[in-house]
Amino acid sequence: MNLTRRSLLASASGAALVGGLSACGGDSSGSSGGSGGGGAGERKDLKIWFMEDSIPEETRDWLKTTFESQNEGATLTVEVQQWDGIVSKLQTSLASEDESPDVVEFGNTQVALFSSVGALLDISDQEEALGGSDLIQSFIDAGSWEGKLYATPLYAGARVYYYRKDLFAAAGIAVPTSLDELVAAAKALDAANPEGTPEFSGIYMPGADPHTNEGWLFTHGGQYAEQDGDTWKGTLSTPESQAALTQVQDLMLTATKYALDSNDNVQAAHQLFNQGKLGIYSALNVAAAKIDQAMWDADKVGVMALPGLTPGSIGNTFSGGSSIGISANNHNLELSQALLKLIYSDEFMTDMAAVGGWIPGRTSFTSALEGPTGSIAQEIIENSVLTPNSPQWGVLDGNNVPRDFWTRIARGEDVKAVAAELDTTIADALNQA
């Protein structure tokens, strides 16, 4: 999920954002601490923030009803927030003892921004009770800061590849089992265009879809940046990253007509797939519902994980999804902990898969996921990779720095030059105090 405060980086105000949050919560060490400590006479009217399109309405209703029935005299207000502008809203709300929600959902790349300044409560001692080793490990990493856990995985979306089985067969192309084979298949399908469809592309590879492109970066062993001690270094110029960027640019320039699509077009790309204009299309597992049912019924659509570098292996896609934590300014610690525990109950986690279509934070409940992507979703998530776990990465992401970078690659700019420039930009940003 993307941050949206585009003015932060341009005005070098990432530190100001973090500074503005530094008043949040006071002592957030230990789940029995925090400004919302658990004394008698505390408020019993709790508030939880979920994000748009995250939790099914029936699951939200179940949570409210069950929480209130299990905690006599307590009430739960469930509010759904928009992703657009959420960082700014959280900055203001989490810093307020009166207005702060008690439990909050975050995009997993946002957590470091808030945990690093004391806006969230340390919930390290609750990890086992919430799922322990059953929790998505990459999200545990994202929810941790300086050895303490501040947010746990709520759900993940597996990034899969939908492809036209019938077009592959018509062109005599085998389903790819490695990344190189996927490149070759996309190019061959683009050239064949078996149905003679106008504006047909072998694969959908726009620069404005960084999370799809990051799969290629991570699978090659590349990354945006790596940390050595307290210092970050941009790593887009490494041989591994360069191999990925070169391969992605090759596809963008030779196997797709949509490399320069806008972000809005990316969100609606399933329409191109439904119109027969795409042979291969990457999206989250929940996008299966957007593909015309008639195409599924006619057995025209296949689903695969991003292949790895060697035949038969699986690649490494971006670890996208949401995490959840307790505000340091919560109004009742005991009830906030009870609410968080209820979210990790069997019933809620089952609903996240069976109703919401997500990979639940407790991975053993992925078996409840229905549809054509269910068999591969868990393995994709287990092999997923995070972007740099730094508060300042949230600032870079919020200013669309990754998206702008990939768009420059899509325009055909020199890969080495663009990577070197971004290495400096990223290192300067991540190394801000």
Side-chain angles (χ1 to χ4, degrees):
M1 305 298 178
N2 291 329
L3 309 182
T4 53
R5 297 199 67 200
R6 300 184 179 182
S7 63
L8 292 178
L9 188 65
S11 60
S13 60
L17 172 63
V18 175
L21 280 162
S22 61
C24 288
D27 177 18
S28 62
S29 60
S31 61
S32 62
S35 65
E42 290 181 323
R43 284 166 47 176
K44 300 187 74 174
D45 51 331
L46 262 65
K47 183 189 301 182
I48 186 170
W49 280 11
F50 287 127
M51 300 306 300
E52 59 179 331
D53 301 324
S54 288
I55 312 300
E57 183 177 4
E58 63 185 84
T59 309
R60 300 196 304 265
D61 292 344
W62 177 88
L63 183 67
K64 174 179 173 62
T65 300
T66 306
F67 175 79
E68 292 177 351
S69 68
Q70 292 181 356
N71 298 278
E72 185 177 357
T75 61
L76 177 64
T77 299
V78 180
E79 295 185 356
V80 177
Q81 305 295 331
Q82 303 296 307
W83 285 109
D84 189 31
I86 189 59
V87 172
S88 178
K89 189 169 186 177
L90 284 168
Q91 179 190 7
T92 301
S93 299
L94 290 176
S96 169
E97 293 187 5
D98 293 328
E99 300 300 325
S100 176
D102 299 279
V103 179
V104 192
E105 175 189 347
F106 303 85
N108 65 347
T109 61
Q110 300 170 352
V111 176
L113 186 62
F114 295 98
S115 60
S116 64
V117 294
L120 298 177
L121 208 64
D122 175 10
I123 56 173
S124 301
D125 63 358
Q126 297 180 63
E127 181 178 352
E128 287 302 315
L130 298 177
S133 61
D134 196 24
L135 299 172
I136 302 171
Q137 184 57 50
S138 61
F139 282 51
I140 293 295
D141 296 339
S144 300
W145 183 255
E146 295 184 342
K148 297 179 180 179
L149 180 65
Y150 292 93
T152 43
L154 180 58
Y155 68 86
R159 193 161 295 274
V160 304
Y161 279 75
Y162 304 94
Y163 64 96
R164 287 287 301 274
K165 294 167 63 175
D166 56 333
L167 299 186
F168 270 61
I173 301 170
V175 177
T177 64
S178 70
L179 208 56
D180 285 345
E181 289 179 9
L182 180 54
V183 172
K187 290 182 177 182
L189 194 58
D190 188 80
N193 187 6
E195 295 180 338
T197 305
E199 300 301 310
F200 178 79
S201 288
I203 192 169
Y204 190 70
M205 285 291 285
D209 186 11
H211 290 330
T212 287
N213 302 326
E214 285 161 0
W216 300 68
L217 178 66
F218 300 153
T219 298
H220 274 278
Q223 180 57 274
Y224 288 105
E226 294 179 353
Q227 192 173 23
D228 183 8
D230 294 330
T231 303
W232 286 93
K233 179 181 179 181
T235 53
L236 291 170
S237 296
T238 64
E240 295 82 3
S241 294
Q242 285 291 297
L245 299 180
T246 300
Q247 196 170 53
V248 168
Q249 187 177 67
D250 182 31
L251 278 177
M252 288 174 166
L253 297 179
T254 65
T256 184
K257 294 177 174 60
Y258 304 100
L260 296 179
D261 260 10
S262 67
N263 181 58
D264 288 342
N265 287 343
V266 170
Q267 305 310 312
H270 61 277
Q271 297 176 5
L272 293 174
F273 191 82
N274 289 336
Q275 293 164 6
K277 295 183 177 181
L278 301 177
I280 305 169
Y281 159 58
S282 173
L284 294 176
N285 61 295
V286 292
K290 297 180 180 180
I291 295 175
D292 284 347
Q293 187 59 44
M295 296 176 67
W296 290 112
D297 293 342
D299 198 28
K300 292 183 176 181
V301 183
V303 180
M304 64 179 174
L306 178 69
L309 296 181
T310 58
S313 65
I314 188 171
N316 307 108
T317 56
F318 169 70
S319 182
S322 281
S323 300
I324 194 160
I326 298 175
S327 167
N329 273 327
N330 72 83
H331 302 102
N332 188 309
L333 178 60
E334 183 177 353
L335 287 176
S336 295
Q337 291 174 330
L339 177 57
L340 191 61
K341 189 173 182 179
L342 188 58
I343 288 170
Y344 286 89
S345 66
D346 294 358
E347 294 85 350
F348 193 96
M349 287 288 115
T350 298
D351 262 14
M352 288 302 295
V355 183
W358 299 110
I359 291 85
R362 290 174 61 190
T363 59
S364 61
F365 287 86
T366 303
S367 58
L369 187 65
E370 300 176 351
T373 64
S375 62
I376 61 174
Q378 184 168 349
E379 187 177 13
I380 291 172
I381 290 301
E382 289 174 350
N383 284 276
S384 61
V385 174
L386 284 167
T387 49
N389 190 24
S390 162
Q392 297 301 332
W393 182 259
V395 179
L396 288 168
D397 197 21
N399 282 277
N400 292 320
V401 170
R403 184 186 302 171
D404 292 344
F405 163 71
W406 290 105
T407 298
R408 293 178 65 182
I409 299 298
R411 290 195 185 109
E413 293 189 36
D414 183 78
V415 168
K416 291 184 178 180
V418 176
E421 180 181 332
L422 262 292
D423 280 345
T424 299
T425 298
I426 291 171
D428 287 347
L430 298 188
N431 287 317
Q432 288 185 27

